[in-house]
């Protein structure tokens, strides 16, 4: 059995949570491969809103096993708070002992460094994700499995502070008190020890037993550390290949790849965004789409669908299909724009260059429609909505296999 994969195609916030939640009803295991609690998956079920940051979106399927893989940086404080929303997670939630810890001092480092950058700040969430990954790459980080021995971990953290005292002094970050640190780590141990294990072996066993496994990541392709709009990116690999390293799989283990994209485009934080709309249309998308970050509450920048970037991301991830989310947000627009190319230095460009700073969108316009809300059959969509979807398929060279027509789980069209 192969593991199917869900991947974000834009700058994150595409609606992965709803799709993973919907698909997870038919899977035995749902696995998160990278990122940290800077991610935010919002899921609506029967009018109830669930906001997930670290726990895989399969948690709302009581039969599914949920796995947080080694590629994640885990905030113990955040995961414990998130776990309190759910009952009986024993035997349903497992955390890789090789995942790295994102501890409170990582957030302090993150926030202090962003402040020092002034107007050149990247626009991070300030959750400590970058510093935690930096420690991992510098081989000075601490892994989740070390929580099983709090006393030893406390000594290692204090040694870390001593070795980096000059840096912490500049950033005005105090060294923890050992007694307080031990209390903190023992609290983490009490809540999390029963969930910590070798998750790679778990996933291998599930695949060997022909269990259905679904993989999900955080953020989106255009925020990938290698392939995104560097340096305005996240600190991990958000593409499909990153799911392999973040869970201990190989490329041959991957089955169907579904790329998630909004019917328009959004971005949080700084960095290039060619199709951003600074007028009333962008404001309407933000208001109707409730475009405020699940994690930070920040208003998202909004703009038109960038088919050039989506085509690039689809090829990069090997997408078999796209899931087009939040089509209903475009209800009522007289004209809807699709970016089909860029203009750079007076030249038409139909691919994503390494630097998007000077890219200007070249648009096509499509007539709008009245409403798609709640439509669950493709042929019952307004004709102009169908034209819009089919034009996206043409420009991106990727089939739109799933269409979301409201935040509710069941308001979703699955095309044959």
């Amino acid at each position: 059995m192969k593991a199917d994969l869900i991947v974000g195609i834009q700058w994150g916030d595409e609606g992965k949570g709803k799709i993973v939640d919907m698909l997870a009803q038919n899977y035995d295991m749902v696995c998160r491969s990278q990122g940290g609690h800077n991610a935010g998956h919002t899921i609506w079920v029967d009018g109830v809103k669930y906001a997930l940051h670290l726990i895989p979106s399969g948690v709302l399927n009581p039969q599914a096993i949920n796995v947080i893989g080694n590629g994640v940086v885990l905030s113990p404080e955040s995961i414990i708070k998130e776990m309190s929303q759910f009952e009986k997670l024993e035997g349903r939630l497992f955390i890789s002992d090789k995942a790295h810890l994102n501890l409170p001092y990582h957030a302090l480092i993150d926030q202090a460094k962003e402040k020092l950058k002034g107007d050149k700040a990247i626009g991070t969430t300030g959750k400590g994700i970058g510093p935690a990954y930096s420690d991992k790459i510098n081989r000075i980080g601490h892994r989740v499995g070390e929580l099983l021995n709090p006393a030893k971990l406390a000594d290692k953290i204090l040694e870390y502070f001593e070795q980096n005292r000059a840096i912490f002094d500049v950033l005005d970050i105090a060294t923890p008190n050992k007694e307080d640190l031990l209390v903190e780590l023992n609290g983490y141990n009490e809540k999390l020890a029963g969930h910590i294990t070798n998750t790679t072996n778990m996933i291998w066993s599930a695949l060997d037993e022909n269990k259905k496994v679904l993989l999900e990541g955080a953020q989106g392709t255009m925020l990938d550390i290698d392939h995104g709009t560097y340096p305005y990116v996240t600190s991990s690999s958000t593409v499909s290949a990153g799911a392999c390293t973040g869970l201990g799989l190989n490329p041959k283990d991957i089955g169907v790849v579904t790329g998630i994209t909004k019917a328009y485009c959004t971005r949080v934080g700084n960095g290039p965004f060619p199709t951003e709309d600074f007028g009333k249309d962008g404001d309407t998308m933000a208001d109707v789409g409730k475009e405020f970050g699940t994690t930070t509450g920040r208003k998202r920048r909004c703009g038109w669908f960038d088919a050039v970037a989506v085509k690039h991301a689809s090829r990069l991830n090997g997408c078999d299909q796209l899931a087009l989310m939040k089509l209903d947000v475009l209800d009522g627009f007289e004209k809807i724009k699709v970016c089909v190319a860029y203009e750079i230095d007076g030249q038409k460009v139909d691919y994503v260059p390494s630097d998007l700073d000077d890219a200007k969108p070249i648009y096509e316009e499509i007539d709008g429609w009245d409403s798609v809300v709640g439509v669950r059959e493709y042929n019952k969509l307004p004709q102009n909505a169908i034209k819009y979807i089919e034009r996206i398929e043409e420009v991106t060279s990727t089939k739109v296999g799933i269409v979301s027509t409201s935040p509710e789980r069941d308001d979703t069209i699955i095309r044959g």
Side-chain angles (χ1 to χ4, degrees), residues 8-30:
I9 293 299
Q10 297 163 311
W11 279 281
D13 309 309
E14 300 97 346
K16 295 183 292 296
K18 173 182 173 175
I19 293 300
V20 175
D21 166 62
M22 182 191 75
L23 295 178
Q25 307 310 307
N26 301 311
Y27 282 81
D28 302 301
M29 180 178 284
V30 181

Side-chain angles (χ1 to χ4, degrees), residues 59-96:
V59 69
L60 296 178
N61 173 3
Q63 308 304 318
I65 300 297
N66 295 272
V67 172
I68 297 175
N70 56 273
V72 173
V73 287
L74 186 103
S75 161
E77 184 178 6
S78 180
I79 189 70
I80 290 169
K81 181 179 179 181
E82 197 170 329
M83 288 166 63
S84 69
Q85 300 178 86
F86 305 98
E87 296 180 358
K88 300 178 181 178
L89 286 177
E90 293 79 8
R92 293 190 54 223
L93 175 65
F94 296 93
I95 305 168
S96 172

Side-chain angles (χ1 to χ4, degrees), residues 167-212:
I167 296 172
F168 283 116
D169 285 347
V170 169
L171 297 177
D172 197 26
I173 299 173
T175 299
N177 173 278
K178 184 173 183 177
E179 288 72 23
D180 292 340
L181 181 59
L182 266 174
V183 169
E184 177 186 341
L185 296 177
N186 278 315
Y188 297 157
N189 173 282
E190 180 182 347
K191 297 288 187 179
L192 299 177
H195 299 276
I196 298 170
T197 190
N198 184 324
T199 57
T200 298
N201 284 343
M202 282 188 66
I203 301 170
W204 286 356
S205 295
L207 293 175
D208 289 345
E209 295 167 8
N210 289 321
K211 298 288 182 66
K212 296 189 67 178

Side-chain angles (χ1 to χ4, degrees), residues 117-182:
K117 292 173 184 174
D119 60 4
K120 295 184 179 179
I122 293 172
T124 73
T125 58
K127 301 290 184 179
I129 309 302
Y133 274 116
S134 293
D135 280 357
K136 174 180 178 177
I137 298 303
N138 286 328
R139 294 167 291 181
I140 55 174
H142 307 291
R143 303 206 287 187
V144 168
E146 296 177 57
L147 285 176
L148 300 179
N149 189 336
K152 184 177 180 180
L153 177 57
D155 287 338
K156 292 176 70 173
I157 291 173
L158 292 172
E159 181 182 353
Y160 169 91
F161 267 82
E162 186 61 33
Q163 292 172 349
N164 295 277
R165 181 177 296 279
I167 296 172
F168 283 116
D169 285 347
V170 169
L171 297 177
D172 197 26
I173 299 173
T175 299
N177 173 278
K178 184 173 183 177
E179 288 72 23
D180 292 340
L181 181 59
L182 266 174

Side-chain angles (χ1 to χ4, degrees), residues 26-47:
N26 301 311
Y27 282 81
D28 302 301
M29 180 178 284
V30 181
C31 309
R32 165 80 176 273
S33 61
Q34 48 75 222
H37 66 302
N38 57 335
H41 287 176
T42 303
I43 302 169
W44 290 85
V45 181
D46 297 329

Side-chain angles (χ1 to χ4, degrees), residues 313-327:
S314 295
R315 175 64 187 270
L316 190 61
N317 288 288
C319 291
D320 296 291
Q321 64 175 354
L322 296 174
L324 191 68
M325 310 301 294
K326 303 183 84 164
L327 184 64

